[in-house]
Amino acid sequence: MKEDIRTFISEITFVDKSTIADETKLFEEGIFDSMGLLSLITFLDEQMGVKTDDSDLTEENFQSINTIVAFLERKKSLVN
């Protein structure tokens, strides 16, 4: 899952995926902006089957690959 997210982020931002670590602060380091976040939300819906609610749109959920994966795991556990 982490590698899929890393690849997606790399593809839409043109940042070499080898420079995106699991803990890289995506917004703080200027890799992501609001448009990137919208693309990621669409990707998570279409590829991972996870719907993101407005209340989910917090920095804590999308700060890094690790926080994105934790968010996905929480959302999936609520469905099951």
Side-chain angles (χ1 to χ4, degrees):
M1 183 181 319
K2 286 182 181 183
E3 200 54 37
D4 291 340
I5 295 168
R6 186 182 339 275
T7 298
F8 175 78
I9 292 169
S10 174
E11 288 174 356
I12 67 165
T13 61
F14 304 105
V15 173
D16 184 340
K17 73 179 186 176
S18 67
T19 65
I20 305 171
D22 291 350
E23 285 298 326
T24 298
K25 305 292 188 220
L26 300 171
F27 291 95
E28 286 179 26
E29 296 193 23
I31 295 171
F32 246 27
D33 59 14
S34 58
M35 291 306 294
L37 179 60
L38 290 174
S39 296
L40 176 65
I41 290 168
T42 301
F43 170 79
L44 296 178
D45 180 18
E46 293 174 355
Q47 300 300 315
M48 307 277 181
V50 174
K51 300 267 187 223
T52 304
D53 301 318
D54 288 346
S55 61
D56 297 324
L57 298 176
T58 65
E59 183 178 341
E60 292 79 23
N61 288 334
F62 298 98
Q63 187 172 31
S64 68
I65 290 176
N66 280 343
T67 61
I68 294 167
V69 169
F71 164 71
L72 291 173
E73 290 171 348
R74 281 192 310 277
K75 290 292 278 191
K76 286 182 177 186
S77 72
L78 294 174
V79 173
N80 295 329

